[in-house]
């Protein structure tokens, strides 16, 4: 037996991969990923994923009440649909409360839509990988840059196949006890996967979709925000709404995308747009840049001194 964090690799058996996501257990991205993993016959695959879409819930967790986990129908794997968030699923899946052992690797995805820049903060997909990382289990989040009118569900299979060399290499490093424990990987695949330019090691940038709010007179107005963080204004699309009934005097507002802001070149979003499969190591700390720290180092004593003099 070999150990990294709390993940255990048994050299005599297939490594175990647990899959989660934020698009829900029936999402084609997760289903395609599981099929590709199973088809290799190289891994034991488990699934612990939300029972419904939980896009953009970030790293929220369920705290005040129990969550249910029901067996789900998957060929060749043990799977559970969980009434919780992606972070709940990752935590439950590695806890040994649901499965008998800790997986060697957790993969969260494949998400419908990219997760680059500041969107990493919003992402439930990335949160699933981050939660596993919190528990000492190596993890990867995978997202596909879905574009309506260009992409189709077969692209998820291509995305999963394109990630297999990375997955195999990670498991080899875990077995050799040489895989780094201080980060997890966030992988984004370009829209045109067959013509991708290869893997590109990147850093998280500052790209973000500009969003706003629009007042509406009905919960059915404004279109549905897709997991790609774009709008679907098709009136046939079912809109998810709050189960509570708004009072007549309540004001209703719907979030909408108003454009994209792309900052600083040579980062994840820029290389993804150029056609690369971006591989971005991410940590869990949110330290400010050096310049900001130096500013507040001088600023805080002045505030304290002013407060002391004001009290006299």
């Amino acid at each position: 037996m070999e150990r990294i964090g709390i993940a255990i690799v048994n050299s005599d058996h297939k490594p175990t991969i647990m899959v989660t996501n934020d698009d829900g257990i029936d999402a084609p991205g997760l289903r395609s990923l599981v099929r590709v993993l199973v088809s290799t016959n190289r891994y034991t695959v488990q699934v612990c994923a939300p029972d419904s879409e939980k896009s953009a819930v970030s790293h929220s967790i369920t705290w005040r009440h129990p969550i249910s986990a029901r067996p789900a129908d998957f060929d060749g794997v043990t799977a559970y649909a969980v009434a919780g968030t992606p972070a709940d699923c990752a935590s439950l899946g590695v806890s040994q409360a649901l499965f008998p052992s800790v997986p060697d690797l957790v993969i969260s995805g494949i998400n419908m839509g990219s997760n680059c820049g500041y969107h990493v903060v919003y992402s439930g997909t990335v949160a699933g990988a981050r939660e596993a990382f919190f528990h000492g289990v190596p993890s990867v989040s995978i997202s596909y840059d879905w574009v309506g009118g260009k992409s189709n569900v077969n692209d998820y299979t291509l995305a999963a196949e394109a990630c297999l060399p990375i997955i195999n290499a990670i498991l080899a490093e875990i077995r050799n006890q040489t895989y780094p424990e201080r980060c997890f990987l966030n992988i984004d695949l370009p829209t045109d996967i067959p013509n991708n330019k290869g893997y590109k090691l990147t850093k998280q940038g500052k790209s973000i979709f500009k969003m706003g709010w629009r007042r509406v007179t009905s919960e059915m107005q404004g279109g549905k925000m897709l997991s790609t963080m774009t709008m679907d204004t098709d009136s046939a699309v079912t809109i998810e709404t709050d189960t509570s009934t708004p009072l007549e005097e309540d004001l209703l507002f719907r979030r909408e995308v108003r454009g994209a802001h792309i900052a600083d070149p040579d980062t994840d979003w820029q290389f993804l747009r150029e056609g690369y499969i971006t591989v971005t190591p991410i940590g869990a700390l949110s330290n400010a840049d050096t310049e900001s720290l130096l500013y507040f180092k001088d600023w805080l004593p002045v505030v304290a001194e002013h407060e002391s003099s004001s009290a006299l």
Side-chain angles (χ1 to χ4, degrees), residues 178-197:
T178 53
Y179 192 72
E181 300 180 29
R182 299 169 66 179
C183 69
F184 63 97
L185 294 183
N186 182 42
I187 299 174
D188 284 273
L189 295 105
T191 306
D192 187 8
I193 298 177
N195 296 308
N196 76 82
K197 295 181 179 180

Side-chain angles (χ1 to χ4, degrees), residues 30-268:
L30 181 143
R31 294 271 173 168
S32 297
L33 174 60
V34 171
R35 280 197 299 270
V36 168
L37 292 175
V38 171
S39 70
T40 67
N41 199 33
R42 299 181 64 170
Y43 327 105
T44 297
V45 182
Q46 302 169 334
V47 176
C48 183
D51 60 3
S52 60
E53 184 176 344
K54 294 293 187 295
S55 296
V57 299
S58 190
H59 208 108
S60 60
I61 61 173
T62 303
W63 183 258
R64 295 182 178 275
H65 58 80
I67 60 175
S68 63
R70 59 175 172 79
D73 184 19
F74 269 80
D75 290 334
V77 306
T78 302
Y80 289 92
V82 177
T85 67
D88 289 333
C89 294
S91 177
L92 178 61
V94 304
S95 68
Q96 295 182 271
L98 184 65
F99 301 116
S101 62
V102 179
D104 302 303
L105 178 67
V106 170
I107 302 178
S108 185
I110 298 171
N111 188 63
M112 179 186 182
S114 62
N115 278 306
C116 296
Y118 286 139
H119 286 260
V120 165
V121 178
Y122 294 120
S123 171
T125 301
V126 177
R130 188 189 298 113
E131 181 69 19
F133 167 72
F134 285 166
H135 290 270
V137 181
S139 58
V140 179
S141 51
I142 303 177
S143 302
Y144 166 61
D145 190 22
W146 177 280
V147 174
K150 294 183 179 180
S151 303
N152 63 74
V153 293
N154 295 326
D155 291 325
Y156 289 120
T157 298
L158 299 178
E161 292 171 346
C163 290
L164 283 178
I166 294 179
I167 294 169
N168 292 331
I170 290 173
L171 290 167
E173 297 295 335
I174 293 172
R175 180 175 291 108
N176 295 331
Q177 301 187 63
T178 53
Y179 192 72
E181 300 180 29
R182 299 169 66 179
C183 69
F184 63 97
L185 294 183
N186 182 42
I187 299 174
D188 284 273
L189 295 105
T191 306
D192 187 8
I193 298 177
N195 296 308
N196 76 82
K197 295 181 179 180
Y199 301 137
K200 187 76 171 181
L201 185 68
T202 62
K203 62 181 179 179
Q204 182 184 355
K206 300 176 182 178
S207 61
I208 190 170
F209 280 103
K210 292 182 179 179
M211 295 190 218
W213 292 89
R214 182 162 65 89
R215 185 174 175 181
V216 297
T217 56
S218 166
E219 290 186 64
M220 297 300 292
Q221 290 189 11
K224 180 184 180 182
M225 181 74 77
L226 300 178
S227 58
T228 54
M229 299 193 89
T230 57
M231 298 299 295
D232 189 333
T233 55
D234 185 349
S235 60
V237 173
T238 302
I239 308 298
E240 294 183 8
T241 60
D242 194 320
T243 54
S244 60
T245 303
L247 300 176
E248 185 175 346
E249 63 270 22
D250 288 350
L251 303 179
L252 296 178
F253 296 88
R254 184 171 294 282
R255 190 187 292 274
E256 61 183 9
V257 176
R258 294 181 176 175
H261 168 66
I262 308 302
D264 58 355
D266 299 329
T267 58
D268 48 5

